[in-house]
């Protein structure tokens, strides 16, 4: 028996006539435009059929966001190591190479609506690429300020996105001061890499995708902490979907451990310098909002060594054929190093976890040559 629909004839901005179903449809994906096989147009030949669209047609003409819905993959290899099901939220396949496009894309779209004429962003690489990508999509010029030691690979990517690149200082904090100075120009807006409510709001979309994919909450969620934007956004997302009881394992590398230092001190702490090879985690001071999240959710702060993070990058490449940077190796090291099991043994986590989600945050500051150089630097064969 053919399914029943409530069809309405409408027209897109480009002049295309379409048939729209105003209610949900179990047979067709919502917000999708195509001539489906076996479903002739009910309002005449040549019409595209759109089912489950309710009242909005905007999703057919242009995407709402600059980020994509990323895969959630079950990892056989990491599940074997962990002794429970491990899912990978693959932010490394975002168009800008990392999760950063979620929050930064959202921020840039919002300030563009208010008349921004030039975007400026300080970055260790990934935030800058997200800002440059968003600027290109919006048709707005961008200036990205990077620390002097940023890889040529990242600089070329930024230039390929059409951004102007300035190299200033040894660490992100110094580049940030330069960006703030540039943003004083008329019509220029500084894009904060991690410390702004719009950034966190954008990152929260990741948790909504997890809720859609999993249905039920995982036993734990593992993520990397640099400046704290991802942690703040994921925390907001967990509260939004009612998963506030899910423990978050927030991981840093030694030498970029500003969040862990702040928790131990009970206040924000500024590290004297960044000594970790995980440069993308290299904020000297974590966002105040990230520290505040520890009062609202069960957040377990852990620090791994550079060697563990880089070993995890290599193992992940071997297991999953995906190359990520050391900042992403930090949360992966929770599984590979056995830290997850030790947390269970100590009673910090439930002894029987339904599943664990690792956010594979991605990153652009890596290639095969850089990985080999890092391994040699750390004495790994």
């Amino acid at each position: 028996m053919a399914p029943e629909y409530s069809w309405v004839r409408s027209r897109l901005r480009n002049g295309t006539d379409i048939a729209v179903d105003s209610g949900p449809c179990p047979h067709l994906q919502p917000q999708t435009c195509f001539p489906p096989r076996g479903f002739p147009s009910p309002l005449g030949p040549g019409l595209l059929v759109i089912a489950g669209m309710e009242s909005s047609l905007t999703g057919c003409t242009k995407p709402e966001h600059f980020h994509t819905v990323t895969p959630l993959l079950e990892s056989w290899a990491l599940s074997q190591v962990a002794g429970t099901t491990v899912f990978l939220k693959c932010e490394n396949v975002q168009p800008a190479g990392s999760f950063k496009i979620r929050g930064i894309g959202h921020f840039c779209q919002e300030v563009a609506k208010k008349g921004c004429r030039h975007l400026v962003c300080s970055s260790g690489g990934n935030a800058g690429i997200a800002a440059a990508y968003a600027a290109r999509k919006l048709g707005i010029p961008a200036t990205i300020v990077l620390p002097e030691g940023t890889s040529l690979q990242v600089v070329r990517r930024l230039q390929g996105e059409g951004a102007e690149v300035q190299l200033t200082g040894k660490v992100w904090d110094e580049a940030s001061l330069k960006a703030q100075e540039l943003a004083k120009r008329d019509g220029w807006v500084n894009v904060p890499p991690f410390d702004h409510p719009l950034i966190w709001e954008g990152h929260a979309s990741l948790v909504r995708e997890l809720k859609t994919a999993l249905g039920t909450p995982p036993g734990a969620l593992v993520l990397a902490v640099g400046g704290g934007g991802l942690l703040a956004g994921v925390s907001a997302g967990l509260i939004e979907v009612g998963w506030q009881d899910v423990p978050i394992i927030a991981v840093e590398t030694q030498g970029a451990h500003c969040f862990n230092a702040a928790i131990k001190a009970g206040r924000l702490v500024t590290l004297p310098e960044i000594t970790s090879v995980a440069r993308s985690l290299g904020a000297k001071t974590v966002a105040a909002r990230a520290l505040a999240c520890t009062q609202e959710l069960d957040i377990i702060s852990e620090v791994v060594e550079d060697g563990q993070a880089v070993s995890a990058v290599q193992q992940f490449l071997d297991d999953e054929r995906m190359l990520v940077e050391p900042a992403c190796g930090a949360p992966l090291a929770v599984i590979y190093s056995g830290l997850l099991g030790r947390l269970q043994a100590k009673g910090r986590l439930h002894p029987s976890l339904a599943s664990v989600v690792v956010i594979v945050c991605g990153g652009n500051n890596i290639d095969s040559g850089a990985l080999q150089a890092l391994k040699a630097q750390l004495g790994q064969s």
Side-chain angles (χ1 to χ4, degrees):
M1 182 176 177
E4 295 182 0
Y5 305 100
S6 300
W7 297 109
V8 178
R9 188 184 184 108
S10 188
R11 174 169 292 182
L12 294 177
R13 293 176 184 174
N14 63 6
T16 303
D17 286 324
I18 57 175
V20 181
D21 170 40
S22 60
C25 169
H27 303 282
L28 304 177
Q29 291 294 321
Q31 295 189 335
T32 303
C33 304
F34 61 99
R37 295 177 182 175
F39 291 92
S41 170
L43 300 179
L47 293 183
L48 294 174
V49 178
I50 306 177
M53 285 296 292
E54 298 178 350
S55 62
S56 173
L57 299 179
T58 57
C60 294
T61 55
K62 62 180 180 179
E64 288 186 24
H65 308 291
F66 293 146
H67 67 263
T68 61
V69 176
T70 53
L72 182 68
L73 306 178
E74 181 176 348
S75 170
W76 180 87
L78 274 81
S79 297
Q80 292 297 302
V81 175
T84 190
T85 302
V86 174
F87 291 106
L88 306 172
K89 184 58 171 166
C90 296
E91 292 298 290
N92 54 313
V93 301
Q94 288 288 0
S98 79
F99 75 94
K100 292 282 190 179
I101 190 58
R102 291 183 182 271
I104 287 177
H106 179 55
F107 178 93
C108 293
Q109 285 179 304
E110 291 302 308
V111 297
K113 293 176 185 176
K114 297 177 180 178
C116 167
R117 299 198 303 273
H118 196 118
L119 294 166
V120 58
C121 181
S122 57
S123 169
N126 295 315
I129 290 174
Y133 177 86
R136 178 171 61 83
K137 290 290 187 180
L138 291 165
I140 298 173
T143 298
I144 311 300
V145 187
L146 307 169
E148 293 169 354
T150 303
S151 69
L152 183 59
Q153 175 186 357
V154 169
V155 172
R156 286 174 175 167
R157 171 66 191 273
L158 287 165
Q159 292 171 336
E161 292 287 357
E164 175 194 0
V165 177
Q166 294 189 19
L167 302 178
T168 302
K170 294 182 178 181
V171 294
W172 168 79
D173 301 74
E174 296 171 14
S176 179
L177 293 175
K178 178 64 174 177
Q180 292 172 41
E181 179 184 332
L182 291 172
K184 294 177 182 177
R185 298 177 180 178
D186 185 44
W188 288 45
V189 173
N190 185 30
V191 182
F194 54 83
D195 197 1
H196 194 281
L198 287 174
I199 300 291
W200 313 328
E201 190 176 289
H203 292 335
S205 62
L206 187 154
V207 181
R208 292 192 289 272
E209 291 174 19
L210 289 178
K211 177 70 179 290
T212 299
L214 291 175
T216 57
L221 195 153
V222 190
L223 53 76
V225 177
L230 179 60
L231 175 60
V234 165
S235 296
L238 289 174
I239 293 171
E240 177 187 327
V241 303
W243 284 4
Q244 58 268 25
D245 293 331
V246 174
I248 300 174
I249 306 173
V251 196
E252 300 165 283
T253 49
Q254 186 68 40
H257 57 290
C258 59
F259 179 59
N260 186 263
I263 289 177
K264 289 180 176 179
R267 57 178 174 78
L268 295 181
V269 171
T270 299
L271 300 178
E273 58 180 336
I274 301 298
T275 58
S276 172
V277 300
R279 294 293 176 179
S280 292
L281 301 182
K284 289 184 179 181
T285 310
V286 76
R289 178 59 195 151
L291 186 59
C293 289
T294 63
Q295 305 301 312
E296 303 169 11
L297 295 100
D298 181 11
I299 298 177
I300 303 170
S301 172
E302 293 291 336
V303 178
V304 300
E305 299 294 330
D306 277 347
Q308 292 175 305
V310 172
S311 292
V313 169
Q314 180 64 66
Q315 190 63 54
F316 190 65
L317 176 61
D318 294 340
D319 287 341
E320 303 294 343
R321 284 80 60 198
M322 290 188 279
L323 179 59
V324 295
E325 62 181 64
C328 187
L332 293 169
V334 170
I335 308 296
Y336 285 124
S337 71
L339 177 56
L340 182 74
R342 293 193 292 276
L343 290 171
Q344 290 176 289
K346 292 177 181 177
R348 297 296 309 280
L349 292 172
H350 195 279
S352 179
L353 297 171
S355 65
V356 175
V357 172
V358 179
I359 298 179
V360 183
C361 50
N364 297 277
N365 298 304
I366 194 70
D367 57 25
S368 58
L371 176 57
Q372 297 309 310
L374 286 170
K375 291 172 63 178
Q377 178 183 338
L378 297 170
Q380 299 178 5
S381 57

